[in-house]
Amino acid sequence: MTGSCTSGIDTGFVTLGYAKVAMLGVVQGITELLPISSTAHMRIVSAILGWRDPGSAFSAAMQLAALVAVISYFWQDVRRLAVGSVSAICQRQFADPELRIAMWIALATIPILLAGILLSDSLNTCSSPIRALPAIGWACIAMAALMALTELLARHRRSVEDASLVDALLVGLAQVGALIPGVSRSGSTLTSALALGFKREEAARFSFLLGIPAIALAGSKELWELHQANLDMHGWSILALGLIVASVSAFVAIWTLMHILERFSTWPFVVYRGLLGILLLVAVS
């Protein structure tokens, strides 16, 4: 199957070919884990270069590249939570802190899982109105305002080890906003964690660890839907190239983000998002 709109799934990325998808893989990898919205940048780059929109299925499947980067960067945390949880279950130590955090992460994934299922038709449909550039522009401005407000009011005192079930659920609810193009999963969860009083680098750590199940589920779901849409080997090979390029780019992005948050704040992203949103609205007016 060549790139088209089949069974409601936009597989337009196939028509872009290897070189263009590799370039979009760099864009996706860098912007997926920074709080600036990968979807916005994928749409903007495609529009500026005169390429067709690669589609939401492509964007969601490419999240698996972000998953690889997050697990690699936070490997010690992921390993500790996984091993500690299994050990605690085997020993029936249900008050174990690693098991408790792992259970909270699982519970916090439920909101975006339900929302993704309920909104699947709207999100993945060809020419979805929420992927229109004006909608993305307003989403960028709204998130810039929320991030700025958080920077002004947040205390930045807490660590992941201080997190509670309520914290996890609130960040999990904020994660639902990532389904709206232009919001950014990293942006919505990082902002909510900062609002709850977490230190900047701890807010990012909490955001990424909590996002692992959601990213894995979203990416796997899109791979399955692309399979159901009878994507051919040519299409799979193009997608695979994008994933490889995006994985490397995503690791660089997460390293950059953590160092910015450790030394500065989210203000560079606030300014960037605000200007990006304004420029988008001006460009399409």
Side-chain angles (χ1 to χ4, degrees):
M1 181 194 71
T2 56
S4 62
C5 187
T6 304
S7 302
I9 303 298
D10 191 343
T11 56
F13 68 89
V14 178
T15 64
L16 294 174
Y18 292 101
K20 292 178 181 177
V21 164
M23 180 175 174
L24 290 178
V26 174
V27 174
Q28 173 80 17
I30 292 174
T31 58
E32 177 66 38
L33 296 180
L34 296 180
I36 55 177
S37 177
S38 59
T39 303
H41 287 79
M42 296 282 275
R43 289 288 290 113
I44 291 167
V45 170
S46 297
I48 290 175
L49 297 177
W51 301 347
R52 67 160 295 162
D53 179 6
S56 60
F58 174 77
S59 297
M62 293 286 279
Q63 290 186 40
L64 293 175
L67 179 67
V68 172
V70 170
I71 291 177
S72 299
Y73 191 90
F74 292 103
W75 174 244
Q76 294 300 325
D77 287 307
V78 173
R79 182 179 180 279
R80 189 182 70 253
L81 286 174
V83 173
S85 297
V86 172
S87 176
I89 291 173
C90 291
Q91 298 177 31
R92 299 182 180 277
Q93 296 177 347
F94 300 112
D96 181 83
E98 274 76 28
L99 177 59
R100 185 177 68 249
I101 292 176
M103 290 177 64
W104 291 349
I105 290 174
L107 290 172
T109 305
I110 294 175
I112 195 171
L113 176 61
L114 294 177
I117 293 172
L118 292 173
L119 300 175
S120 178
D121 291 340
S122 299
L123 295 171
N124 289 342
T125 187
C126 298
S127 302
S128 172
I130 63 174
R131 288 180 67 85
L133 292 177
I136 292 175
W138 283 114
C140 285
I141 292 173
M143 275 306 302
L146 287 174
M147 290 175 70
L149 187 63
T150 301
E151 273 294 348
L152 291 171
L153 301 178
R155 299 180 182 179
H156 311 304
R157 295 177 180 173
R158 305 173 64 196
S159 66
V160 173
E161 285 68 30
D162 302 325
S164 67
L165 174 58
V166 173
D167 293 323
L169 292 177
L170 288 174
V171 177
L173 285 172
Q175 192 170 219
V176 175
L179 296 175
I180 302 172
V183 169
S184 163
R185 195 208 69 80
S186 174
S188 61
T189 55
L190 176 62
T191 300
S192 62
L194 288 172
L196 290 169
F198 287 89
K199 300 174 186 176
R200 293 183 182 91
E201 64 275 17
E202 289 294 298
R205 180 177 160 223
F206 191 31
S207 164
F208 287 130
L209 290 175
L210 187 142
I212 288 176
I215 295 172
L217 288 170
S220 300
K221 173 179 175 292
E222 294 307 329
L223 289 184
W224 173 250
E225 291 195 352
L226 288 171
H227 168 71
Q228 293 292 90
N230 298 314
L231 187 66
D232 59 21
M233 287 304 298
H234 175 62
W236 285 114
S237 64
I238 290 177
L239 182 63
L241 175 63
L243 284 169
I244 293 171
V245 173
S247 296
V248 177
S249 302
F251 189 88
V252 173
I254 196 171
W255 183 90
T256 301
L257 174 63
M258 296 303 292
H259 281 71
I260 289 176
L261 294 178
E262 287 171 2
R263 291 167 173 75
F264 304 105
S265 67
T266 62
W267 281 113
F269 303 113
V270 171
V271 174
Y272 178 81
R273 287 190 65 116
L275 291 176
L276 179 65
I278 292 171
L279 288 174
L280 269 179
L281 294 178
V282 170
V284 299
S285 62

